[in-house]
Amino acid sequence: MALSFAQKEAIVAEVAEVAKTAYSAVGAEYRGLTVEQLTALRVEARKAGVYVRVVKNSLAKRAFAGTDFACMEAGLTGPLLLAFSQEDPGSAARLAEAFAKGHDRFQVKLVSIGGKLLDPSELGTLAKMPTYDEAVSQLMAVMKAPVQKLAATLNEVPGKLVRTLAAVRDSKSKA
């Protein structure tokens, strides 16, 4: 079914709005997947905070103009499913990586973050990026470690004195 001009404009506007706020994007070829498999992917995407859309390449090129994902324009060939990370930079990559493990026909073709086009083999690196909560907890652990070591060191001096006095007491009580 052909899209009217107004429908095309609406799609371009929607994808452009999502692209402006997204942290990263993944483009994957979905040829050969069933409707049920794609529906399962969309359900997982909603849970992970990932916007997934199949868009005609010509419309995607228009939507990407003026965004960080303009670098993906050259790779927009063939049937592609576009996934945009809305909550953290690695969420779309984690989704694509997990889905690709179970489905051989799902092949990642484009990966972009921060205005740079990455090689599809770097999908795993992007997927391993921590979420916001994980990054904050790692930062807090790094900030807490020196204080914790200082407290342990300062506590060791009186502890050693108590152990020495206890050893002297035990040696005198045996004699």
Side-chain angles (χ1 to χ4, degrees), residues 5 39 41 45 67 120 122 138 142:
F5 184 73
T39 301
L41 174 66
T67 67
E122 295 184 50
Q138 289 173 357
V142 168

Side-chain angles (χ1 to χ4, degrees), residues 139-161:
L139 178 64
M140 290 298 118
V142 168
M143 290 173 68
K144 180 180 137 187
V147 174
Q148 190 175 11
K149 287 185 181 188
L150 176 65
T153 303
L154 291 176
N155 192 29
E156 187 61 30
V157 173
K160 189 172 184 179
L161 176 65

Side-chain angles (χ1 to χ4, degrees), residues 32 55 58 62 66 68-70 74 83-84 89 93 105 131 137 147-148 152 155 161-162 169:
V55 183
S58 59
R62 290 177 188 263
D68 287 347
F69 305 110
F84 295 93
R105 295 181 183 251
T131 64
S137 68
V147 174
Q148 190 175 11
N155 192 29
L161 176 65
V162 169
R169 182 194 66 214

Side-chain angles (χ1 to χ4, degrees), residues 12-26:
V12 169
E14 178 184 344
V15 173
E17 187 63 34
V18 170
K20 286 178 186 172
T21 60
Y23 294 107
S24 65
V26 174

Side-chain angles (χ1 to χ4, degrees), residues 2-13 56 58-59:
L3 297 173
S4 70
F5 184 73
Q7 290 171 322
K8 290 178 183 179
E9 280 183 327
I11 291 170
V12 169
K56 292 177 85 171
S58 59
L59 298 179

Side-chain angles (χ1 to χ4, degrees), residues 156-172:
E156 187 61 30
V157 173
K160 189 172 184 179
L161 176 65
V162 169
R163 286 191 300 276
T164 304
L165 292 175
V168 169
R169 182 194 66 214
D170 292 344
S171 67
K172 286 188 177 183

